[in-house]
Amino acid sequence: MPDTIPAPALPVGHYGYDQVDRAFLADRVEQFRDQVARRIAGTLSEDEFKPLRLMNGLYLQLHAYMLRIAVPYGVLDSRQMRELAHIARTYDRDYGHFTTRQNLQFNWIRLEDTPDILARLAAVDMHAIQTSGNCIRNVTCDQFAGAAQDELVDPRVHAEILRQWSTLHPEFTFLPRKFKIAISGSPNDRVAARFHDIGLVAKPAPDGGTQFDVFVGGGMGRTPIVGVHLRDDLPEEDLLAYLEAMVRVYNEYGRRDNIYKARIKILVQALGTEGYRQKVDAEFASMNRARYRLPPETVAAIRARFGTPDLNAPDDAAARLDRARRADPAFDRWVRTNTHPHRAPGYISAVISLKPAGGIPGDATSAQMDTVADLADRYAFGEIRVTHMQNLVLGHVRQDELHALWQALRAADLASANIGLIGDIIACPGLDYCALANARSIPIAQKLGARFASPELQETIGPIEIKISGCINACGHHHAGHIGILGVDKKGEEFFQLTLGGSPGSDASVGQILGPALPEDATVDAIARLVDAYLVHRTGGERFLDTYRRLGAALFKDAVYATA
Amino acid sequence: MPLLEDGQLVPDTWTTLDADSPLPATGPVIVPLSRLEEGLARAPGEKLGVALAPDTEIDTLRTALPRLSLVAVTFPIFRDGRAFSQARALREHLHFTGEIRATGKPLPDQYEFLLRCGVSTVALPAGSDPEIWARAHTRFRIAYQPSVRGERAEGFTMRRVL
């Protein structure tokens, strides 16, 4: 049985469960225990068990079961992080992998252990519900939510509402295909809203409430598409009703004959934006709107279940940070690359890079998880965020305590100063783990990380996003990389195809294929030549992406395919 | 074929007809949508049901619905979830109060979803263990969203008591 762990009154940054929520999770764990028992006894066939285990985040991978645990809107508390560390030590190989959907995966899990693991997770108000399967997946969110200076609305309350609404939704649990929703509350899109099935951007309404920009039909995979703007004035009280209408139209009309044509993006393209909008509006108009209305009292009640940080920095916090930066150049570099401005005076958000040079992007050992949990308790109200770039964030750090935090991170090999730089690579698990992959993504990421290990060099190159997928399903988001790398199989050999010019943000675009795929041993050198060409041709502080957009592909093509 | 209602086996008084079998003059029958007019031509008072395909638009039943006692929706495979939307549309948009029967190959683990979308009976697939279906019916005490069953709200959120 799980140890009894005292729950904090209300966790900072995420919804605090009550006894009803805990009873629900307990029911769910028992349901899965029953399903696993039926599978082991043989009364459930693998074909019948598959969708049920997938509904609990359990995949069968190349070598073992993989368990994907939900981190709703990417926010964890220290107690939960310690439990993940415990599971890593006890049931896995002492590490876990943070994913681009802000979740955590364990790669070496035994089927018969999963009910106990889920029971342990439930004891800290966590679960693996709907982290896979053709249902509404974990809702992702801005990693600086509730902290960022540029934020207009903290989107986590609405993310929680969507989590609850979509949990075991009776109508939308067997959709044509998986369904991903992201929500931001900042005009600077850090959630890739335009690359999701539904992207929501919360903003203040004229009446003082909240309203939403709605994007639909974005996605990556085999058919990368930037989502279309469906409307910009969705009132908060209609949020659930309108989403019900959007998803219902998809459930009714989305293709089910071909899984590669089954995402909502294909439906939106087939109907056209206007055609899809008309169907949604017709459904919305005929719904029982009172039943699905989201009243302000409900929003307020869920908001009240979120702990809030008591932000109260000393007056000289910023001055003390300045002094520490002047005294310590390595710290100063880390502050330049790994922090984000906070809305409150004297505070800052710190990004913990999970991309050490030569390491595996997103991996963390149980010891590192425990360290982060301890540091979160000491410096950041016990709150930890997972980013879609596969890093971690401490959202609310006092500026005068940042230097001490950095020193502790450095001691745990968690202080790589590379956020947003060439070392901050997204990579899917690839052929090292995944049954779908054509090529190994991780070794390319490791070699690139080692090639560009120097912090000085990384800072000179400046903001650049490299994203690596081991197959066309694009879990490594290569379509949205400034430089995208796609693993392909050519007669049993691993080759890598480069795409340039992708971007996940407010200026979303799909990268374009540069030319023929490169052999594995030529890929890293080719990227180094490409980066050199950029350094020669950039003007002023131009990002790689802007140089590419200004000058086009030709010069980069010459650099990549130049024969030595 | 065993029929399940509220987690219990109940007798099935309906005869399901395919596209070709002769239509009896009396007695409750379920006809395919293609034979709806034929079914409606029977004497008033004879109970009629219609079986839909997963891609049937519910609105096509709008006129006939007041004369129907049963609508059957189907799961050709359990992963095909269109029948959930059909059932909910029948209840919510067309305010159908008769029996909605789920046929095909649903799983017991979908039972609560079926009920919450407005399905009233399930024609159990061959080889089903009614015990497992009954257990699925009592598995959860709480849901996180309103449904056409109009369950009681729980506390301060969107939660409902099942």
Side-chain angles (χ1 to χ4, degrees):
Chain A
M1 279 301 289
D3 308 329
T4 308
I5 301 164
L10 278 178
V12 165
H14 71 85
Y15 172 83
Y17 276 38
D18 65 6
Q19 289 315 312
V20 175
D21 299 306
R22 294 198 177 101
F24 169 83
L25 266 198
D27 290 348
R28 177 71 174 182
V29 170
E30 287 316 301
Q31 178 193 40
F32 190 61
R33 203 180 282 286
D34 179 50
Q35 289 164 349
V36 169
R38 280 156 62 202
R39 175 70 195 110
I40 289 172
T43 52
L44 269 184
S45 69
E46 174 56 22
D47 188 46
E48 290 170 327
F49 181 57
K50 186 178 172 186
L52 305 176
R53 66 170 161 78
L54 288 179
M55 293 291 291
N56 282 290
L58 190 64
Y59 282 78
L60 188 54
Q61 293 288 53
L62 269 185
H63 310 294
Y65 280 100
M66 178 271 277
L67 180 63
R68 184 182 292 150
I69 294 159
V71 181
Y73 32 100
V75 182
L76 287 165
D77 60 56
S78 55
R79 179 179 66 118
Q80 295 172 326
M81 185 67 107
R82 287 192 190 93
E83 186 55 47
L84 295 175
H86 175 86
I87 291 168
R89 271 192 301 275
T90 311
Y91 299 101
D92 202 283
R93 298 186 177 177
D94 205 30
Y95 68 95
H97 178 76
F98 290 98
T99 77
T100 57
R101 301 216 71 256
Q102 302 179 311
N103 292 321
L104 179 99
Q105 290 178 187
F106 288 120
N107 282 313
W108 305 96
I109 293 297
R110 298 183 329 146
L111 174 63
E112 50 270 44
D113 287 337
T114 49
D116 290 339
I117 296 173
L118 292 181
R120 291 203 66 102
L121 290 170
V124 293
D125 306 337
M126 294 188 83
H127 57 74
I129 296 172
Q130 289 169 220
T131 55
S132 53
N134 293 337
C135 52
I136 299 173
R137 303 286 190 90
N138 186 30
V139 175
T140 54
C141 192
D142 188 336
Q143 67 268 28
F144 300 119
Q149 212 170 55
D150 62 10
E151 184 171 275
L152 303 176
V153 174
D154 183 346
R156 292 173 300 182
V157 172
H158 296 95
E160 171 64 22
I161 289 167
L162 296 183
R163 182 191 75 81
Q164 295 194 16
W165 161 74
S166 62
T167 294
L168 302 197
H169 193 292
E171 188 177 348
F172 303 141
T173 301
F174 294 86
L175 296 169
R177 199 75 179 87
K178 59 189 171 183
F179 203 89
K180 299 177 180 177
I181 301 176
I183 179 167
S184 164
S186 164
N188 298 309
D189 179 1
R190 288 180 285 264
V191 303
R194 293 156 184 83
F195 276 113
H196 280 77
D197 295 293
I198 293 178
L200 298 169
V201 180
K203 58 189 186 183
D207 66 359
T210 302
Q211 64 184 34
F212 298 89
D213 271 356
V214 182
F215 297 88
V216 68
M220 301 205 216
R222 293 169 193 236
T223 316
I225 295 174
V226 174
V228 298
H229 191 208
L230 202 60
R231 58 183 294 181
D232 61 5
D233 57 350
L234 178 63
E236 180 184 85
E237 66 170 13
D238 286 333
L239 176 65
L240 296 183
Y242 196 72
L243 290 185
E244 290 260 346
M246 288 178 74
V247 182
R248 180 187 266 191
V249 168
Y250 169 56
N251 192 41
E252 290 175 326
Y253 297 101
R255 284 179 62 175
R256 292 174 184 267
D257 59 324
N258 177 345
I259 64 164
Y260 303 119
K261 302 285 184 193
R263 295 290 288 270
I264 193 174
K265 62 190 172 188
I266 303 293
L267 177 68
V268 172
Q269 295 294 311
L271 296 174
T273 307
E274 202 42 53
Y276 174 72
R277 184 186 285 125
Q278 278 172 12
K279 281 199 184 306
V280 172
D281 287 348
E283 176 64 33
F284 187 57
S286 53
M287 286 173 78
N288 180 345
R289 295 267 281 285
R291 177 178 292 148
Y292 300 101
R293 179 170 174 264
L294 177 62
E297 307 83 66
T298 297
V299 180
I302 289 181
R303 178 172 287 120
R305 298 290 305 167
F306 278 69
T308 48
D310 180 17
L311 300 175
N312 193 11
D315 292 340
D316 65 346
R320 288 168 65 182
L321 172 59
D322 280 342
R323 278 202 296 280
R325 293 180 67 167
R326 281 197 296 276
D328 189 337
F331 171 60
D332 186 46
R333 173 179 294 111
W334 180 82
V335 177
R336 282 200 301 275
T337 55
N338 287 44
T339 62
H340 195 264
H342 199 285
R343 61 185 163 82
Y347 279 86
I348 197 161
S349 297
V351 186
I352 301 170
S353 173
L354 296 180
K355 318 282 179 71
I360 297 175
D363 274 10
T365 64
S366 66
Q368 287 178 323
M369 292 184 214
D370 279 333
T371 298
V372 170
D374 291 347
L375 295 175
D377 278 339
R378 180 145 177 215
Y379 296 108
F381 305 94
E383 182 212 61
I384 302 146
R385 297 111 180 273
V386 184
T387 82
H388 88 273
M389 295 288 295
Q390 305 183 277
N391 295 307
L392 301 175
V393 166
L394 300 182
H396 315 286
V397 179
R398 259 170 54 177
Q399 293 186 6
D400 55 314
E401 294 182 337
L402 192 63
H403 189 250
L405 168 64
W406 173 75
Q407 287 176 311
L409 289 172
R410 200 165 53 158
D413 194 24
L414 286 169
S416 297
N418 60 7
I419 297 306
L421 304 180
I422 199 164
D424 192 6
I425 296 168
I426 288 182
C428 73
L431 198 51
D432 291 295
Y433 296 98
C434 179
L436 303 174
N438 292 322
R440 289 169 300 148
S441 317
I442 289 172
I444 292 282
Q446 290 173 308
K447 287 173 192 171
L448 283 168
R451 177 71 166 249
F452 295 101
S454 156
E456 293 82 2
L457 176 60
Q458 291 200 46
E459 215 181 351
T460 302
I461 296 167
I464 186 167
E465 297 185 11
I466 295 185
K467 301 179 198 281
I468 308 172
S469 303
C471 78
I472 51 176
N473 293 308
C475 296
H477 297 185
H478 67 278
H479 297 300
H482 299 175
I483 300 175
I485 303 175
L486 167 65
V488 292
D489 175 276
K490 282 195 180 180
K491 295 177 185 152
E493 301 260 332
E494 293 174 38
F495 276 66
F496 292 89
Q497 190 171 70
L498 303 187
T499 53
L500 298 186
S503 172
S506 308
D507 61 348
S509 56
V510 173
Q512 299 300 308
I513 294 172
L514 191 64
L518 301 158
E520 199 268 350
D521 59 4
T523 302
V524 173
D525 285 340
I527 288 170
R529 291 197 298 275
L530 191 157
V531 169
D532 285 342
Y534 154 65
L535 293 176
V536 169
H537 287 93
R538 74 173 168 190
T539 57
E542 202 175 47
R543 293 180 303 168
F544 170 82
L545 181 62
D546 298 318
T547 305
Y548 170 80
R549 285 176 172 170
R550 180 170 57 83
L551 295 176
L555 78 100
F556 297 109
K557 196 166 179 173
D558 289 346
V560 163
Y561 297 102
T563 44
Chain B
M1 192 173 288
L3 191 68
L4 199 72
E5 183 175 21
D6 286 331
Q8 304 294 319
L9 289 177
V10 292
D12 184 2
T13 56
W14 290 80
T15 304
T16 300
L17 300 185
D18 60 23
D20 307 315
S21 33
L23 182 68
T26 60
V29 292
I30 302 170
V31 297
L33 185 62
S34 58
R35 299 182 70 180
L36 179 60
E37 289 308 319
E38 202 185 331
L40 289 171
R42 296 198 309 166
E46 288 301 331
K47 286 169 80 176
L48 182 68
V50 66
L52 304 183
D55 62 355
T56 307
E57 300 215 14
I58 289 304
D59 218 46
T60 58
L61 287 185
R62 189 176 285 272
T63 330
L65 206 57
R67 296 173 61 194
L68 295 175
S69 307
L70 181 151
V71 177
V73 295
T74 193
F75 291 80
I77 54 172
F78 61 82
R79 288 187 299 272
D80 185 342
R82 287 177 287 184
F84 292 116
S85 285
Q86 289 177 317
R88 204 184 77 163
L90 279 166
R91 296 291 186 217
E92 188 173 320
H93 294 346
L94 301 186
H95 310 290
F96 180 60
T97 55
E99 177 177 341
I100 299 179
R101 178 176 294 194
T103 67
K105 298 173 182 168
L107 289 181
D109 311 84
Q110 294 172 314
Y111 190 28
E112 205 64 28
F113 298 150
L114 290 168
L115 296 174
R116 301 197 79 226
C117 285
V119 166
S120 28
T121 57
V122 181
L124 294 185
S128 296
D129 179 353
E131 272 298 300
I132 291 174
W133 283 81
R135 212 152 68 213
H137 185 38
T138 54
R139 173 73 69 194
F140 287 97
R141 293 164 280 178
I142 289 294
Y144 276 93
Q145 55 294 103
S147 86
V148 295
R149 282 165 84 87
E151 299 102 338
R152 177 167 64 82
E154 200 298 320
F156 58 88
T157 62
M158 301 164 289
R159 294 186 305 217
R160 296 292 185 273
V161 178
L162 297 179

